[in-house]
Amino acid sequence: MRLRVAGVIVLLYAQPVSRIVRLSIDDVIRDGETVLLRLGEPASPVPDPVAALLLEHIANRDNMNTATNSASHWPFPGRRAGQPALPDHLSALLNEVGVPTAAARGAAIGQQLLELPTPVVADALGYHDKTTSRLRNETGGTWSRYAPGDHGKSLPGSAAPTTLDS
């Protein structure tokens, strides 16, 4: 279960394993029927089948039966008291089950950048905007002229939008 959840986070959200192990259970947000994962702002929605897997994993985490880990806030608790799993160990386990973490993460972020503007990807996944811009250029993305922000507001000094009825 632990490897499935970690692998899905790598594949869907292009997260490095070093960041995955540092997530806390507070980064998994339940809002009614919706489950969100706080990787950046705003938190990213988790698709239904993955949400069920993530919630089941948190409810049945490994290494929770010891006195020192019984109240652990890590989704991937380590063997040492109060510490998350070691990223190198989790990455090696993922590689063993067929999820090459570096290649999978690169492919996932590349796909995100082909489908969405770089500022949106950077904010949602917690990447720096310069990193996503560089990666977008490497993947041949077409969102180079996207301007983030609220495009519904009028600029100061400009006339309010009119309709055919006004």
Side-chain angles (χ1 to χ4, degrees):
M1 177 73 70
R2 168 177 65 140
L3 294 178
R4 285 184 192 169
V5 171
V8 165
I9 294 172
V10 169
L11 293 168
L12 283 182
Y13 302 105
Q15 296 300 300
V17 176
S18 60
R19 184 146 183 244
I20 292 170
V21 298
R22 301 302 291 179
L23 292 171
S24 94
I25 58 173
D26 295 333
D27 292 321
V28 179
I29 304 161
R30 290 189 79 167
D31 184 16
E33 293 294 315
T34 304
V35 176
L36 304 166
L37 185 58
R38 186 181 306 121
L39 302 167
E41 290 301 326
S44 298
V46 181
D48 287 334
V50 176
L53 189 69
L54 179 60
L55 294 174
E56 183 180 341
H57 167 68
I58 288 174
N60 300 304
R61 292 173 281 162
D62 293 339
N63 297 332
M64 296 298 292
N65 294 330
T66 63
T68 54
N69 267 352
S70 63
S72 176
H73 66 280
W74 306 111
F76 303 97
R79 293 178 189 234
R80 294 183 58 198
Q83 297 296 312
L86 296 173
D88 292 342
H89 178 69
L90 186 57
S91 183
L93 291 173
L94 285 167
N95 282 310
E96 284 178 22
V97 297
V99 180
T101 55
R105 188 170 71 92
I109 189 75
Q111 187 62 39
Q112 295 279 348
L113 291 169
L114 288 173
E115 296 176 10
L116 299 165
T118 57
V120 172
V121 174
D123 289 346
L125 301 182
Y127 277 79
H128 193 278
D129 60 339
K130 287 184 180 180
T131 301
T132 55
S133 293
R134 179 182 52 78
L135 292 170
R136 183 218 50 238
N137 291 338
E138 290 174 7
T139 61
T142 59
W143 289 99
S144 62
R145 302 207 189 288
Y146 176 80
D150 185 357
H151 299 285
K153 292 182 180 179
S154 297
L155 295 174
S158 66
T162 59
T163 64
L164 295 175
D165 296 334
S166 48

